[in-house]
Amino acid sequence: MTAMVKAEGVHKSYGAAHILKGIDLEVNNGEVFCLVGPSGSGKSTFLRCINHLEKINSGRLYVDGQLVGYRQKGDKLYELKDSEVAVQRRDIGMVFQRFNLFPHMTALGNVMEAPIQVKGESKAVARERAERLLDRVGLRDKMGNYPSQLSGGQQQRVAIARALAMEPKLMLFDEPTSALDPELVGDVLDVMRDLAESGMTMVVVTHEMGFAREVGDNLVFMDGGVVVESGHPRDVLGNPQHDRTKAFLSKVL
């Protein structure tokens, strides 16, 4: 079975700062894969490399068996054109910490926009799916509202619906609840739970250890740009083997 995401020796630097130091991991089809660790450990950078929002310096990253951002000829890599990268990104939904909604569009308009503009769908088809997705995330009654009229949690659920509107095979979540008031977190996690149960492959950078333990199939603890420990979330969170993992979890659990 082809892994949905495969990283082989992925390195990423910004100038002298070496952020990712040889990441090797695999995310299987239909798996909820959680990345945890302290701020600055490279989790979000790695997530952004998966859809080539960040370019890696060395190594290989594959999504569904396809090399991301490059084509290989012989043993050389050639960077893809922006238009070719955009085609790859269609299959990868991303939900950011900040919701990045279009402020001048309603919730419905935000969810309809990409299928119309990127896939050339008709408004009728895009609207039918957008209404269905907003209903799925519990916002049927907010379709006509603008982002400024929605709470942070509601905006984030619109952002999830917007990502799903492109019918991706992979969803990336970059700390999707960390900008929310505590009482709004549950609604967003419920939507993510529902997605997991439907079989969506998800890579989730999160501080929500309860969610990781309950919903995750695999968990990686990162620190200093390396994978320190990995395994089933209940095993890693309940019985960490590495001193760095123990120290981190003692502060957050």
Side-chain angles (χ1 to χ4, degrees):
M1 185 172 80
T2 305
M4 181 58 79
V5 179
K6 186 171 187 180
E8 298 176 344
V10 170
H11 286 260
K12 171 68 184 174
S13 298
Y14 300 104
H18 197 174
I19 308 299
L20 300 175
K21 302 170 183 172
I23 300 292
D24 295 293
L25 56 79
E26 285 190 20
V27 179
N28 291 321
N29 212 349
E31 186 171 61
V32 178
F33 193 98
C34 297
L35 292 168
V36 305
S39 294
S41 58
K43 310 180 299 293
S44 293
T45 299
F46 176 70
L47 200 72
R48 292 169 68 85
C49 290
I50 294 175
N51 63 0
H52 207 59
L53 285 174
E54 300 284 358
K55 298 173 186 178
I56 63 176
N57 296 103
S58 63
R60 302 277 191 283
L61 255 173
Y62 301 88
V63 169
D64 205 16
Q66 269 197 317
L67 197 57
V68 173
Y70 300 90
R71 91 165 46 81
Q72 187 160 346
K73 281 192 182 166
D75 56 359
K76 278 200 165 169
L77 288 182
Y78 298 90
E79 191 162 0
L80 297 179
K81 297 188 189 116
D82 287 348
S83 58
E84 294 171 300
V85 173
V87 169
Q88 288 188 331
R89 279 201 197 116
R90 284 185 194 182
D91 291 329
I92 306 172
M94 181 140 185
V95 178
F96 299 89
Q97 192 171 350
R98 299 278 169 193
F99 328 117
N100 297 355
L101 298 178
F102 298 117
H104 62 290
M105 289 184 185
T106 62
L108 188 67
N110 266 281
V111 180
M112 288 172 60
E113 180 72 358
I116 292 169
Q117 296 300 334
V118 179
K119 284 186 168 177
E121 278 186 0
S122 72
K123 281 191 174 172
V125 169
R127 184 186 181 102
E128 189 274 328
R129 186 192 300 109
E131 288 180 351
R132 193 174 71 244
L133 287 169
L134 285 166
D135 188 34
R136 183 177 178 182
V137 300
L139 293 173
R140 174 172 280 285
D141 60 336
K142 302 288 185 187
M143 291 186 192
N145 289 39
Y146 290 89
S148 62
Q149 299 168 314
L150 300 171
S151 71
Q154 290 168 337
Q155 289 185 60
Q156 192 61 293
R157 285 185 278 154
V158 173
I160 293 172
R162 179 179 62 178
L164 292 173
M166 290 294 286
E167 302 185 309
K169 52 191 171 189
L170 171 66
M171 285 283 283
L172 309 177
F173 291 88
D174 189 8
E175 301 193 17
T177 58
S178 64
L180 302 179
D181 292 333
E183 70 269 22
L184 302 176
V185 168
D187 291 337
V188 173
L189 293 180
D190 285 344
V191 170
M192 293 171 67
R193 251 183 224 105
D194 172 60
L195 264 185
E197 284 166 12
S198 73
M200 175 63 75
T201 310
M202 298 159 62
V203 183
V204 185
V205 173
T206 186
H207 289 113
E208 300 290 339
M209 299 301 161
F211 173 84
R213 183 189 285 112
E214 181 194 336
V215 181
D217 298 296
N218 222 319
L219 182 141
V220 157
F221 171 69
M222 284 178 68
D223 193 16
V226 299
V227 172
V228 176
E229 192 166 336
S230 65
H232 192 278
R234 287 197 180 97
D235 297 335
V236 178
L237 297 174
N239 187 25
Q241 300 301 301
H242 199 287
D243 286 345
R244 277 152 89 190
T245 319
K246 289 175 188 170
F248 172 74
L249 292 175
S250 71
K251 295 190 183 102
V252 299
L253 287 179

